[in-house]
Amino acid sequence: MTTFETLVLITSAPYQQRRSEEILEAVMSLALFDREHAVVFWHDGLAWLAPEQNPNEGKSLQRQLDALPLYGSDALFYCREHQASVLGEQTPPDSVQPMALNDLAQLLRQARYVEVF
């Protein structure tokens, strides 16, 4: 398994006013400065991956999420064990790979920095 200098855990649901945009900006900054990183959508954070998002306020984050690999954030994962409870039958985008809890634990042990949002 690849190791990453920085592991970003997105644990909060999207569309929490400015907070969601700040999270995306932090991830894009890691890519911009060529920092080796991975992003893991964990528990409520899997809601970021729901297809065809229609927020009550503001614009959808879907286009920004789809653009992450273009910015160099191509190590995108979600916790497989949380998929059914958060997304139900919805399928996450192909650009985001499933990860088992034990693999996530290994990434956490190996990462130099862990950022939790």
Side-chain angles (χ1 to χ4, degrees):
M1 174 171 288
T2 305
T3 59
F4 300 95
E5 180 183 42
T6 303
L7 184 64
V8 177
L9 287 177
I10 298 179
T11 63
S12 59
Y15 307 109
Q16 296 183 12
Q17 299 169 350
R18 177 81 178 118
R19 176 108 170 114
S20 297
E21 293 171 14
E22 290 171 349
I23 293 169
L24 285 172
E25 289 170 4
V27 171
M28 288 181 190
S29 293
L30 288 168
L32 177 66
F33 291 105
D34 208 21
R35 306 301 293 189
E36 191 173 292
H37 67 284
V39 178
V40 178
F41 296 90
W42 169 268
H43 205 274
D44 290 339
L46 265 77
W48 286 66
L49 306 177
E52 300 179 27
Q53 299 176 17
N54 294 313
N56 291 334
E57 294 181 23
K59 61 182 180 178
S60 172
L61 298 170
Q62 191 66 49
R63 287 177 51 199
Q64 292 167 298
L65 285 171
D66 291 343
L68 286 177
L70 299 174
Y71 284 91
S73 292
D74 50 8
L76 304 172
F77 304 97
Y78 65 90
C79 182
R80 182 181 313 145
E81 287 82 354
H82 297 158
Q83 180 180 357
S85 65
V86 178
L87 295 177
E89 297 295 318
Q90 298 179 72
T91 305
D94 290 338
S95 60
V96 186
Q97 301 302 310
M99 175 177 280
L101 282 171
N102 59 345
D103 294 332
L104 176 58
Q106 183 177 348
L107 279 182
L108 286 166
R109 284 190 299 270
Q110 294 173 344
R112 184 171 183 185
Y113 306 104
V114 177
E115 298 291 334
V116 180
F117 294 99

